[in-house]
Amino acid sequence: IICVEGESSGINAEYGEDNSAKSELAYHRRIVEVEKGAFTPLVMSTVGTFGPEMTRVIQRAAGLISKRKSANYGETVAVIRQKLRFGILRSTLMTLRGSMMDSPVADP
């Protein structure tokens, strides 16, 4: 996605929310009918912003966790976001450099 300075494009335009509403609806119908389930794409940009579906999932999870544990909602959201970001960072680094556990041991 390329944003030119001076253009007024919001986060919804970056994630293609306006253009894909019909195809998304058709895809969800197919998933429900064929797979008997649901699929929600959780989109996160490289600068740390979340797509609309991911924001709703985080808010829902934080609400349930904070109610169950009697914790502060804002702190719960922050912890969930932090865990997601570090989990994605860890998996990206392992993909780029490989896992130390999977490396073969050379025999002398």
Side-chain angles (χ1 to χ4, degrees):
I1 297 172
I2 299 172
C3 291
V4 178
E5 191 173 331
E7 284 187 7
S8 60
S9 63
I11 190 111
N12 294 341
E14 288 181 20
Y15 291 112
E17 190 172 290
D18 298 332
N19 300 330
S20 65
K22 290 181 183 178
S23 63
E24 190 174 318
L25 182 61
Y27 183 71
H28 283 293
R29 284 184 184 156
R30 186 185 69 81
I31 291 293
V32 169
E33 291 172 5
V34 176
E35 303 292 333
K36 306 289 189 254
F39 175 75
T40 302
L42 301 178
V43 179
M44 175 190 260
S45 74
T46 56
V47 294
T49 58
F50 297 111
E53 292 93 359
M54 181 120 173
T55 302
R56 283 193 294 270
V57 167
I58 290 172
Q59 290 173 347
R60 173 78 172 140
L64 293 173
I65 291 170
S66 64
K67 183 187 281 186
R68 186 181 66 202
K69 293 186 175 185
S70 299
N72 184 354
Y73 174 78
E75 291 175 4
T76 306
V77 169
V79 168
I80 291 172
R81 287 179 179 165
Q82 180 184 22
K83 286 182 181 265
L84 284 170
R85 287 180 178 133
F86 277 103
I88 291 170
L89 177 64
R90 184 182 316 117
S91 66
T92 302
L93 290 175
M94 288 186 68
T95 301
L96 291 175
R97 70 169 175 85
S99 174
M100 299 296 267
M101 302 292 285
D102 295 337
S103 62
V105 177
D107 291 329

